[in-house]
Amino acid sequence: MDIFVQQLINGLTLGSIYGLIAIGYTMVFGIIGMVNFAHGDVFMVSAFIALICFLLVTTVFGITSIFLALAIVLVVAMFFTSLTNWAIERVAYRPLRGSFRLAPMISAIGMSILLSNFVQVAQGPRNKPVPPMVTDVIVLMENDGYQVTLAWKQIIIMVLTAVLLGGFWYLVQKTSLGRAQRAVEQDRKMAALLGINVDHTISLTFVIGAALAAVAGVMYLMYYGVANFADGFVPGVKAFTAAVLGGIGSLPGAVLGGLLIGLIEVFWSAYFSIEYKDVAAFSILAITLIFLPQGLLGRPEVEKV
Amino acid sequence: MATGIADSAAGAPAGQNVLGDALKDAFFAGLITLGLIGPLVGFQTVAIDTGAGSVLGLAYRPVTVAIMVGIVFIGRLILNLTIWSPNRVAKTRSGPTVFDRIGTAAGPAVKPLLLAFAIGFPFLATLMMGGMTQARYLLDVGILILTYVMLGWGLNIVVGLAGLLDLGYVAFYAVGAYTYALLATSEPVTHFFGGLLGETFWANWAFWICLPVAGLFAGLWGMILGFPVLRLRGDYLAIVTLAFGEIIRLVLINWVDFTGGGAGIASIPRATFFGIPFTAGEDGFAARFGLEFSPMHRIIFLYFVILALALITAFATVRLRKLPVGRAWEALREDEIACRSLGINTTNVKLSAFATGAMFGGFAGCFFAVRAGFVSPESFTFDISAMILAIVVLGGMGSQIGVAVAAAVMMGGMEALRNLDFLKQVFGQDFDPALYRMLIFGFAMVSIMVWKPRGLVSTREPTIFLKERKAVSGDLVKEGHG
Amino acid sequence: MATSPLSAATHRWEADPILTVEHLFMRFGGLVAVNDLSFNVGRGDITALIGPNGAGKTTVFNCITGFYKPSEGRLALAHNRAPTPDELATVTAIGERALVGTDAAVYLLERMPDYRVSGEAKVARTFQNIRLFTGMTVLENLMVAQHNALMTASGFSLKGLFGLPGWNSAARAATEKAKFWLEKVELLDRADDPAGDLPYGAQRRLEIARAMCSDPILLCLDEPAAGLNPRESLELNTLLRMIRAEHGTSILLIEHDMSVVMEISDHVVVLDYGTKIADGTPEAVRNDPRVIAAYLGVDEDAVEEVEAEIDEIEAQSGATS
């Protein structure tokens, strides 16, 4: 029971991170119907930007308040990651709109390889550890020496995810940007005829997706205390799995999927085998796509003849 | 990276303050570049030894950033004033490219020439380098390129002809390699044949028996994996095949008892000249044929084996295209719904494409195992799938000659990167050009898609004609139902 | 009709239907696109399915050709002769998709996937927005249409791969058949051109030729005259008559062009909002007041009704915005 509660907490934390990344996949798929293969690597880039910013802030500028430092890192990482994703869309995807459908995806695969190797060349192949941040924990239960703990950083991650999701939900449902997004999603040509700047709307979608991935990147760095150039691929695939599981195109679905994937991964590692945890994630992806392609909260597609 | 970012100037009416606009645009491009590369190139995270263990610190590279931003600024400025200048009349899209003509009109001449070169290559290399041993490196590169030509042709069936995006092709390469590695090193199998046909039989014949088995087995895996997923839409299919590829690799790593885990399988029996081993002894190839023993005989033989395998792939593809199954593949790529309205069972058609492609991947995998004498999961990462896919895409989906040229350019180019030692003189001793291989590769993949999404050879050869064979323009050919 | 042994009072679609549609329903979520539709298609007839835009005609086509699975209903296609009620009841009860005898066969199309409808039941179709293999040549398009026959002849590729004689003769025969149809649709000299290069009218004809190459007994054409000029429309009429006369293929078509419909059809079925409002000979349908109201024009009272409805909707939306 104790282990179960502890794993539940860990799973929800991990799931929050996946959920934040998954939103980026789901939004881009919703609006231009492509699987943005490079999104996982954008997340990894954000973790590196956060790492560098963190080192700058703490060692060079000498800021000692960890929360102030984290806030600065968050803002800086969101800005630069958004810029990166904006440029990626502009350079690698926009020219391919209207090309055959798989072209943007192949371009995205190239971009994914480019990003991870760019970071490898620029920052080196080794793991980059940072000193532990926010180490305080709350002991929830104690039984025969086994403590169920809730770390402050876990609280930060879950609260931040919930707040961002709320804000984001408001953005998409209530603002003109959200309306424009949904209109472009439905019918790009018609939206353009009604005076919506389609390019602008799509760019903003990428920017928002990247900003959320950057939050995930900062959280990931804070939680695990390490960044590596290869860390984009597997979390990226897992977040994509989350998006698919929740129903690609659906925002609550992405978060729900993220939490589920986080829980499944953590429980699988705890109760079955840690070696096969990635196999489990990939299998869920395949099984979902085969048997439930519309996901839990998505709408089924009708083939047009 | 920043090319094409802010082409606000491109829309300006001609003649209006061209230089000013160009400068402004170049300035913004430079600024964006600074934002993109500033954090990751400008600062380097380095481990600093403090005595009590290492701590992560920062090193600074402002000069590199300045150079890169400068290159983008100046490059953009030049482009704005020349190619993208508003005063320049835009050229309308031209017809078939040089490569298209090579692939079609000049095809009859080019293909035999390339073939003759491929056959004569070991002799040319030996002559050029002044001896077989010295030609070893060139031959190895040749074998590498041919392996990728074969893999490219195999994947071409799936992606180029049938229009199914398969991101897990490496899985079948792995299945082929492990089939041979496991069978050839298996104790029971060796014992079984040892008792039946003599001690040395299995060691000498393992490759030739396992080659078809590996291909068929990979094809079977293609069917098993393909069956549930082929109903899916193009991009979903791509993701599921990627997932399957990764699952197979992870199982190879983790199922230590069966596959040897991450350490792989070593001392796999070498290839033989149809049962005659390439050894120095009396029964060896050299002694039997009255030649002086040289370890290079085996390498040259391997070269011809992969050449033959690649040619079989090409030949089979050419034949299959003219058969109903091949036409159905291409029809499927063009319009799946129309196929179904003509009574074509599209699941079977997809499955046959998938399995055929997988089979050739399996042959190539078996060859890989016998050439290297060692297999491990590290040889079968997603990067390999991406590389093969890039070869097919660059070559022009569906074009055999294009794929062959693309494989030669890409694999040859990557090998060449290893040898650019003079760059060390320029950038310092720490500079390792090989590190940039995948970086350049990723960049190339994006560039191909943006500038030439239909690859080098975009025209399509019809499979049948009444009077005259006319190449079909790439603009009409669809690239998968996606 | 003169050669028919039946009395003049009985129509062919009643006496010898090739396709019987019974109580067909198609629902998409809450929307009922086809509502309890029943009609027959006579063997050897040219049957037109007409109705205003959005009446559900293409949905009916998609149900018949297996692209949609009907929500309810039976679609029985008969080879050679109409099935007896017993036969129909048997095949429906045993849950098989077809009952194939020596002299006749009946297929329940609603139980068959699209490729079996075309491949086994021999129902071919064309599409409203032409679906050719644009990157393949005209001749290749017709060869693909003979896929199933050629697949058997090529020994599922094995014979063909090694160029065995049986395959070569089959391939030649297939080319001859393609040439035959190319001649019929006047595209023989464009055989080696990509299908995507043909002008619109020629693409329509090629699509029909391609469908005919799959040896259908029922040919379903979705707006074959759309986008054709008057001369091409006339040629289409001739082509369709020829197909019926020389090949005995029954034709079911959706069409808006009344000159085509009234000119060539033996039987017209009119749909509106997913239900059948008229069914009969062209003359009978032309004079049916419900058809005139729904399709050819709306009478005075109805216009007033509609206007009142629009006012009401506008008032409502005005209040909410």
Side-chain angles (χ1 to χ4, degrees):
Chain A
M1 183 60 201
D2 304 343
I3 299 177
F4 180 84
V5 174
Q6 184 65 65
Q7 299 304 341
L8 191 69
I9 293 169
N10 296 350
L12 289 175
T13 314
L14 187 61
S16 301
I17 294 176
Y18 289 153
L20 285 172
I21 311 174
I23 290 174
Y25 278 112
T26 242
M27 280 204 313
V28 167
F29 190 91
I31 201 159
I32 53 173
M34 80 173 268
V35 178
N36 181 10
F37 206 85
H39 193 65
D41 294 277
V42 170
F43 156 77
M44 177 274 300
V45 164
S46 79
F48 265 88
I49 292 172
L51 169 67
I52 287 166
C53 182
F54 182 75
L55 290 175
L56 263 182
V57 166
T58 51
T59 60
V60 179
F61 300 131
I63 291 172
T64 45
S65 159
I66 191 76
F67 290 102
L68 180 60
L70 270 180
I72 295 171
V73 166
L74 201 59
V75 172
V76 171
M78 282 168 84
F79 173 76
F80 282 103
T81 313
S82 300
L83 181 70
T84 309
N85 215 23
W86 174 81
I88 290 173
E89 192 273 333
R90 188 68 187 76
V91 174
Y93 306 152
R94 191 178 296 177
L96 294 173
R97 244 181 261 155
S99 186
F100 62 105
R101 186 163 174 179
L102 297 177
M105 175 142 186
I106 296 172
S107 182
I109 294 168
M111 192 44 87
S112 157
I113 296 172
L114 176 69
L115 283 177
S116 61
N117 285 279
F118 169 66
V119 172
Q120 185 191 11
V121 167
Q123 299 292 335
R126 272 196 213 98
N127 270 344
K128 302 287 180 180
V130 282
M133 295 173 240
V134 202
T135 46
D136 297 340
V137 294
I138 302 167
V139 178
L140 294 178
M141 286 190 260
E142 188 157 5
N143 247 339
D144 306 330
Y146 183 86
Q147 288 185 331
V148 176
T149 60
L150 175 61
W152 268 103
K153 53 187 179 187
Q154 291 177 318
I155 298 175
I156 295 175
I157 290 173
M158 287 189 256
V159 169
L160 201 59
T161 305
V163 169
L164 276 171
L165 194 72
F168 188 67
W169 182 246
Y170 177 81
L171 187 77
V172 171
Q173 291 298 321
K174 305 285 180 198
T175 65
S176 61
L177 167 68
R179 267 197 300 279
Q181 248 174 352
R182 279 176 289 147
V184 174
E185 217 176 296
Q186 291 290 325
D187 189 333
R188 205 181 299 162
K189 256 189 212 137
M190 194 62 208
L193 287 174
L194 291 172
I196 293 169
N197 188 337
V198 173
D199 283 347
H200 192 71
T201 310
I202 293 176
S203 281
L204 265 173
T205 307
F206 274 84
V207 164
I208 295 169
L212 292 176
V215 177
V218 175
M219 299 296 114
Y220 184 86
L221 187 71
M222 180 181 77
Y223 195 55
Y224 291 105
V226 70
N228 184 290
F229 79 97
D231 275 351
F233 184 69
V234 172
V237 173
K238 285 178 186 163
F240 179 75
T241 310
V244 169
L245 185 62
I248 198 146
S250 151
L251 294 174
V255 178
L256 175 68
L259 293 176
L260 281 175
I261 293 293
L263 288 171
I264 291 169
E265 177 176 340
V266 165
F267 280 107
W268 185 279
S269 306
Y271 292 103
F272 296 102
S273 83
I274 196 153
E275 287 88 16
Y276 282 98
K277 73 177 166 119
D278 289 350
V279 174
F282 285 116
S283 305
I284 292 168
L285 175 60
I287 291 167
T288 314
L289 280 177
I290 293 165
F291 295 107
L292 194 71
Q294 77 274 21
L296 295 171
L297 302 181
R299 284 183 299 262
E301 253 182 72
V302 177
E303 184 180 50
K304 288 205 181 79
V305 179
Chain B
M1 265 286 298
T3 42
I5 283 182
D7 51 2
S8 51
Q16 263 188 17
N17 193 13
V18 175
L19 184 66
D21 284 347
L23 269 173
K24 206 172 104 186
D25 175 78
F27 173 74
F28 278 115
L31 199 66
I32 290 163
T33 313
L34 180 65
L36 290 178
I37 62 167
L40 289 172
V41 177
F43 303 96
Q44 189 183 19
T45 49
V46 287
I48 298 169
D49 202 2
T50 54
S54 75
V55 173
L56 213 55
L58 286 174
Y60 306 94
R61 291 180 293 205
V63 181
T64 320
V65 174
I67 291 173
M68 289 169 86
V69 172
I71 289 173
V72 169
F73 174 77
I74 292 168
R76 183 92 190 171
L77 189 62
I78 293 172
L79 281 173
N80 278 336
L81 292 176
T82 55
I83 295 176
W84 295 337
S85 164
N87 296 335
R88 223 175 96 116
V89 183
K91 229 177 25 180
T92 48
R93 272 189 76 111
S94 54
T97 62
V98 182
F99 296 104
D100 288 341
R101 265 171 259 139
I102 291 174
T104 55
V110 167
K111 282 172 193 168
L113 269 180
L114 278 181
L115 182 61
F117 176 75
I119 292 171
F121 178 75
F123 309 106
L124 272 176
T126 310
L127 281 178
M128 237 170 65
M129 305 305 288
M132 282 197 285
T133 322
Q134 290 86 334
R136 161 103 201 214
Y137 175 69
L138 274 184
L139 279 172
D140 280 342
V141 174
I143 290 173
L144 178 77
I145 289 176
L146 282 176
T147 311
Y148 276 86
V149 169
M150 175 167 181
L151 287 167
W153 280 342
L155 185 62
N156 190 27
I157 293 174
V158 187
V159 180
L161 293 184
L164 306 165
L165 186 52
D166 179 359
L167 292 180
Y169 193 60
V170 76
F172 307 121
Y173 190 43
V175 167
Y178 269 85
T179 304
Y180 174 61
L182 288 170
L183 282 178
T185 58
S186 147
E187 285 284 329
V189 177
T190 315
H191 271 293
F192 174 77
F193 283 107
L196 213 63
L197 295 155
E199 281 304 319
T200 56
F201 173 80
W202 187 239
N204 287 346
W205 282 99
F207 174 66
W208 295 107
I209 293 170
C210 289
L211 184 63
V213 174
L216 292 177
F217 201 58
L220 186 70
W221 268 94
M223 288 217 196
I224 294 170
L225 297 188
F227 193 72
V229 305
L230 287 171
R231 288 173 297 142
L232 297 175
R233 274 203 341 239
D235 37 11
Y236 277 13
L237 174 74
I239 296 288
V240 177
T241 51
L242 166 82
F244 279 151
E246 283 297 300
I247 289 172
I248 288 191
R249 189 176 65 86
L250 290 168
V251 169
L252 288 178
I253 291 176
N254 289 311
W255 196 1
V256 180
D257 299 340
F258 181 60
T259 63
I265 300 169
S267 19
I268 301 169
R270 299 287 186 175
T272 59
F273 186 81
F274 305 105
I276 305 169
F278 288 95
T279 49
E282 250 169 53
D283 292 333
F285 172 79
R288 290 271 189 99
F289 287 85
L291 298 169
E292 194 183 328
F293 173 74
S294 160
M296 285 305 295
H297 289 157
R298 188 175 62 84
I299 307 293
I300 293 173
F301 181 66
L302 281 175
Y303 177 88
F304 283 111
V305 169
I306 186 65
L307 181 61
L309 284 174
L311 289 178
I312 288 172
T313 313
F315 178 77
T317 311
V318 169
R319 286 295 311 204
L320 285 170
R321 272 193 72 206
K322 295 180 193 218
L323 290 176
V325 67
R327 289 211 189 98
W329 291 341
E330 292 199 80
L332 182 74
R333 178 194 62 202
E334 297 284 323
D335 194 327
E336 178 171 354
I337 286 171
C339 277
R340 301 210 303 251
S341 83
L342 295 170
I344 297 174
N345 182 343
T346 47
T347 308
N348 286 356
V349 171
K350 288 178 185 178
L351 216 50
S352 64
F354 217 63
T356 312
M359 182 179 75
F360 289 118
F363 287 142
C366 183
F367 175 81
F368 171 83
V370 82
R371 183 191 68 96
F374 168 72
V375 291
S376 83
E378 260 181 46
S379 310
F380 307 105
T381 56
F382 171 67
D383 283 355
I384 308 288
S385 285
M387 223 179 287
I388 305 167
L389 178 68
I391 286 171
V392 174
V393 170
L394 173 64
M397 296 192 197
S399 159
Q400 304 240 337
I401 200 101
V403 168
V405 171
V409 168
M410 280 215 163
M411 301 319 292
M414 286 208 177
E415 267 315 301
L417 267 181
R418 280 186 207 277
N419 303 313
L420 297 179
D421 281 337
F422 71 91
L423 286 176
K424 284 195 176 166
Q425 319 284 305
V426 184
F427 294 103
Q429 280 307 307
D430 293 340
F431 185 81
D432 180 7
L435 258 185
Y436 290 77
R437 278 167 32 140
M438 289 309 285
L439 178 66
I440 293 170
F441 169 74
F443 182 76
M445 217 161 149
V446 176
S447 316
I448 297 163
M449 274 296 124
V450 173
W451 281 297
K452 210 156 174 15
R454 289 180 183 277
L456 295 177
V457 182
S458 61
T459 50
R460 178 183 166 272
E461 285 279 292
T463 58
I464 187 173
F465 60 97
L466 283 185
K467 295 186 201 80
E468 180 192 359
R469 188 185 293 274
K470 298 178 196 166
V472 179
S473 153
D475 296 338
L476 294 171
V477 180
K478 301 208 177 76
E479 315 233 356
H481 60 114
Chain C
M1 293 295 270
T3 54
S4 168
L6 307 158
S7 73
T10 326
H11 295 294
R12 194 146 39 174
W13 63 86
E14 286 157 357
D16 183 19
I18 187 168
L19 175 71
T20 321
V21 176
E22 291 163 282
H23 304 293
L24 177 69
F25 284 88
M26 186 72 212
R27 302 184 193 92
F28 296 104
L31 178 86
V32 184
V34 180
N35 192 358
D36 198 11
L37 175 68
S38 302
F39 68 92
N40 287 353
V41 176
R43 191 180 309 278
D45 274 355
I46 295 182
T47 309
L49 190 58
I50 64 169
N53 283 329
K57 306 181 296 290
T58 301
T59 308
V60 172
F61 253 44
N62 285 338
C63 289
I64 293 174
T65 50
F67 282 89
Y68 289 165
K69 199 159 181 52
S71 311
E72 271 177 55
R74 183 164 69 186
L75 304 159
L77 183 96
H79 283 204
N80 288 340
R81 62 165 174 80
T84 63
D86 271 359
E87 286 169 341
L88 210 50
T90 314
V91 66
T92 310
I94 58 175
E96 292 289 324
R97 61 171 175 261
L99 191 65
V100 182
T102 45
D103 65 324
V106 57
Y107 293 88
L108 296 186
L109 303 182
E110 78 277 8
R111 292 179 181 173
M112 299 169 78
D114 40 25
Y115 69 92
R116 282 190 197 278
V117 171
S118 39
E120 291 172 19
K122 295 287 173 197
V123 178
R125 73 171 290 179
T126 64
F127 296 88
Q128 200 173 336
N129 43 347
I130 309 174
R131 282 183 175 275
L132 287 172
F133 307 121
T134 52
M136 300 172 91
T137 65
V138 168
L139 180 60
E140 281 179 309
N141 267 273
L142 300 191
M143 297 300 277
V144 172
Q146 305 176 54
H147 176 85
N148 286 334
L150 284 175
M151 203 65 189
T152 322
S154 73
F156 296 92
S157 304
L158 290 176
K159 265 196 210 164
L161 205 51
F162 301 105
L164 296 182
W167 156 246
N168 287 337
S169 60
R172 261 196 305 280
T175 318
E176 284 309 313
K177 187 180 195 176
K179 273 165 80 176
F180 171 82
W181 280 107
L182 283 178
E183 210 160 350
K184 291 287 176 207
V185 297
E186 290 163 24
L187 285 171
L188 192 55
D189 37 328
R190 303 218 57 176
D192 297 327
D193 287 332
D197 269 353
L198 297 181
Y200 191 81
Q203 294 201 1
R204 283 247 174 251
R205 294 205 302 277
L206 176 58
E207 209 188 10
I208 296 174
R210 185 180 69 180
M212 285 312 294
C213 274
S214 66
D215 291 329
I217 67 157
L218 175 64
L219 177 64
C220 299
L221 305 171
D222 199 342
E223 298 198 21
L228 300 190
N229 61 34
R231 192 178 55 82
E232 288 174 323
S233 264
L234 275 177
E235 285 170 5
L236 176 74
N237 289 355
T238 320
L239 176 68
L240 296 186
R241 283 211 187 88
M242 187 282 289
I243 287 174
R244 191 246 311 253
E246 290 181 23
H247 297 268
T249 307
S250 313
I251 296 173
L252 174 64
L253 54 91
I254 294 176
E255 193 46 74
H256 281 299
D257 187 337
M258 281 305 130
S259 69
V260 175
V261 171
M262 295 303 163
E263 174 77 20
I264 65 168
S265 19
D266 306 298
H267 175 199
V268 178
V269 177
V270 191
L271 281 192
D272 195 20
Y273 296 110
T275 43
K276 186 168 84 174
I277 57 169
D279 183 345
T281 60
E283 295 73 36
V285 165
R286 204 199 319 245
N287 301 323
D288 190 313
R290 292 177 67 194
V291 177
I292 297 167
Y295 187 66
L296 301 171
V298 188
D299 64 27
E300 289 288 303
D301 295 352
V303 171
E304 277 167 26
E305 251 177 68
V306 169
E307 277 174 347
E309 248 176 65
I310 292 172
D311 286 345
E312 205 177 304
I313 292 165
E314 275 176 350
Q316 276 174 0
S317 63
T320 51
S321 66

